[in-house]
Amino acid sequence: MQSEKPLSRSSKIQSIQILRGVAAIVVAIYHVKELTNPEEPFKAVLSFLFNNGPAGVSLFFVISGFIMVYITDNRKYSLRDIGLFFFHRFIRVWPAYAVITLAFAFIVFRFHIGWESTNIIKSLLFIPLTNDDPPYFGYSTLPVGWSLNYEIYFYFLVGLSLFFKKYKWTVFFLLILVTLVIIPVSTGHFTLDPNKTYNYGNGYLNMMTNPVIWNFVYGILIGLSFTHDTTYSKLTKVFSSKYIVSTIVILSVWQYLSGFFGGLGPLKWGLSMASLFIAFIYYTDARNSQFPKWLEAIGDMSFSIYLLHLPVRVFLEEVFRKLGYPLYSQGTAMFLLTMAMTILLSALSYRYLELRLSRFLRDLIQPSKRKVL
């Protein structure tokens, strides 16, 4: 008897959205927690819970890999379809990123907040700013933009692989083999540590060969297992065990909180986040788990949360300073205000930038299609 198919697309996406929301909140609190004063007890709690907040970036990358398998599964792409794939991926990310980047640039320029001559054009085009400082290669104008450089590059690899139809994932893994193994090995600089990669003299080549990309590969492998009937059936049985899932969750959370093997590499946070993700996906999928609407809403606006938390923090800090109340620009109350305003503005950004603006741009190319992205 053939194994049971995975749940409907809406059910699968709902569970993934929860994890995206968690990843966004973890990263946001990591960057905003410095608003609290060292002598406040709340500071110690935040530091303990969120000192390893960048692990959320690894989780985002794993999720992106999974989603690429999910949206391309059992589809045959024509040249037009591949073009639309690139276009849809681009407008899913760029409109909100561009608007918020420009707004952030205006804020730091207007208030003279440590303004440096960062290249806004390169930032908006997802081009690394420097050849050194891996895996970031120069923070973008909006600092979190460094991770989107990897995201767009990963979309490019997937889109390129689509030209080869049923062999798309074979080609994808060959490209990964060349960029992450063959090139580093041939130069004598193979490593799985994203912070210790070789400088080839070109920022984009340095980024293409950085081990951070293995996090996306984890997501691809999980996605392929999830969409394959036999593998799905076997892994569902494995992850139906509360003991196995609980063990994975406990070890992943321990590694995150303790800082043991902390880092963006595939054997550090990448491995624990991939383990957490696969256990969560299979466990919740087999049980047709339902989640609170507010958690799903946080997941929906997770990209906007990721983009907005730093601009909101910087803006509110400067407003209080300019008004002559610098005391109120720090502290627990300021932390809570910043997070609350980030959530509020992210809800607006999700509706008007991620959905409506992206839909408007999409409809310029596909005027007859009115589906929500």
Side-chain angles (χ1 to χ4, degrees):
M1 182 176 178
Q2 200 173 33
S3 62
E4 184 180 350
K5 291 283 188 179
L7 286 178
S8 67
R9 292 191 167 221
S10 60
S11 298
K12 287 189 292 187
I13 285 295
Q14 186 192 40
S15 61
I16 294 172
Q17 290 296 81
I18 303 305
L19 287 179
R20 291 181 66 176
V22 170
I25 293 296
V26 165
V27 172
I29 294 179
Y30 170 77
H31 287 136
V32 177
K33 67 183 176 63
E34 297 307 317
L35 290 172
T36 56
N37 297 317
E39 65 275 8
E40 294 177 313
F42 191 49
K43 171 77 169 184
V45 174
L46 288 178
S47 295
F48 173 69
L49 293 176
F50 299 101
N51 262 355
N52 293 307
V57 175
S58 291
L59 181 54
F60 270 129
F61 288 169
V62 172
I63 292 172
S64 291
F66 181 92
I67 290 177
M68 286 304 99
V69 177
Y70 165 78
I71 66 174
T72 61
D73 184 43
N74 292 327
R75 285 195 60 185
K76 294 181 180 179
Y77 281 81
S78 64
L79 288 177
R80 180 177 181 275
D81 291 333
I82 295 172
L84 289 175
F85 169 85
F86 283 118
F87 177 70
H88 287 162
R89 291 296 93 202
F90 185 76
I91 65 170
R92 176 64 184 88
V93 173
W94 190 79
Y97 175 60
V99 170
I100 295 172
T101 292
L102 294 174
F104 183 69
F106 174 78
I107 291 170
V108 297
F109 178 76
R110 175 67 179 81
F111 291 115
H112 307 287
I113 308 169
W115 176 253
E116 297 179 1
S117 183
T118 57
N119 192 319
I120 296 180
I121 301 300
K122 279 190 174 182
S123 297
L124 292 176
L125 294 178
F126 306 106
I127 300 173
L129 300 184
T130 67
N131 297 339
D132 52 11
D133 188 29
Y136 315 103
F137 301 112
Y139 286 104
S140 304
T141 302
L142 182 63
V144 298
W146 73 268
S147 63
L148 298 183
N149 295 344
Y150 285 97
E151 193 86 21
I152 293 298
Y153 167 66
F154 171 64
Y155 293 158
F156 172 77
L157 285 184
V158 174
L160 186 63
S161 303
L162 294 178
F163 283 100
F164 298 89
K165 301 184 184 302
K166 66 178 181 179
Y167 300 108
K168 60 180 181 289
W169 296 122
T170 301
V171 172
F172 173 83
F173 286 115
L174 285 174
L175 292 172
I176 290 297
L177 180 66
V178 170
T179 55
L180 296 186
V181 179
I182 293 177
I183 293 177
V185 167
S186 65
T187 58
H189 293 92
F190 177 80
T191 179
L192 292 177
D193 188 340
N195 301 100
K196 297 180 179 179
T197 52
Y198 181 67
N199 187 347
Y200 295 95
N202 179 278
Y204 215 88
L205 179 59
N206 291 347
M207 189 185 77
M208 291 167 54
T209 55
N210 193 280
V212 160
I213 296 169
W214 286 112
N215 292 297
F216 293 106
V217 178
Y218 281 144
I220 292 288
L221 292 173
I222 296 170
L224 291 175
S225 77
F226 200 81
T227 54
H228 186 273
D229 288 347
T230 303
T231 308
Y232 173 82
S233 179
K234 291 180 179 179
L235 289 180
T236 297
K237 292 178 181 177
V238 172
F239 293 110
S240 65
S241 169
K242 295 181 180 179
Y243 300 105
I244 292 177
V245 173
S246 297
T247 300
I248 291 174
V249 171
I250 290 171
L251 290 176
S252 298
V253 172
W254 170 80
Q255 191 241 10
Y256 164 79
L257 292 175
S258 68
F260 179 77
F261 263 50
L264 294 169
L267 297 181
K268 297 183 178 181
W269 289 326
L271 183 60
S272 63
M273 292 300 104
S275 301
L276 186 67
F277 179 77
I278 192 172
F280 181 82
I281 286 297
Y282 275 97
Y283 186 80
T284 57
D285 189 62
R287 285 162 174 73
N288 195 13
S289 301
Q290 299 298 313
F291 302 92
K293 290 295 182 182
W294 65 270
L295 269 180
E296 189 176 352
I298 293 294
D300 288 341
M301 66 178 79
S302 58
F303 183 53
S304 286
I305 293 172
Y306 188 67
L307 296 179
L308 277 169
H309 66 274
L310 282 176
V312 171
R313 169 188 166 174
V314 169
F315 179 74
L316 289 178
E317 282 183 290
E318 287 306 308
V319 165
F320 280 103
R321 290 192 182 114
K322 295 296 183 182
L323 290 176
Y325 300 102
L327 177 65
Y328 295 96
S329 67
Q330 299 289 314
T332 298
M334 183 61 177
F335 166 82
L336 296 174
L337 175 63
T338 301
M339 289 303 300
M341 291 303 298
T342 296
I343 298 296
L344 176 62
L345 292 175
S346 295
L348 296 174
S349 171
Y350 172 68
R351 173 174 292 186
Y352 293 104
L353 295 181
E354 291 192 58
L355 292 184
R356 293 195 180 182
L357 180 56
S358 295
R359 187 187 307 164
F360 170 76
L361 294 175
R362 187 203 62 212
D363 286 348
L364 291 178
I365 304 298
Q366 294 175 282
S368 62
K369 296 188 176 182
R370 297 291 175 181
K371 297 178 182 177
V372 176
L373 282 174

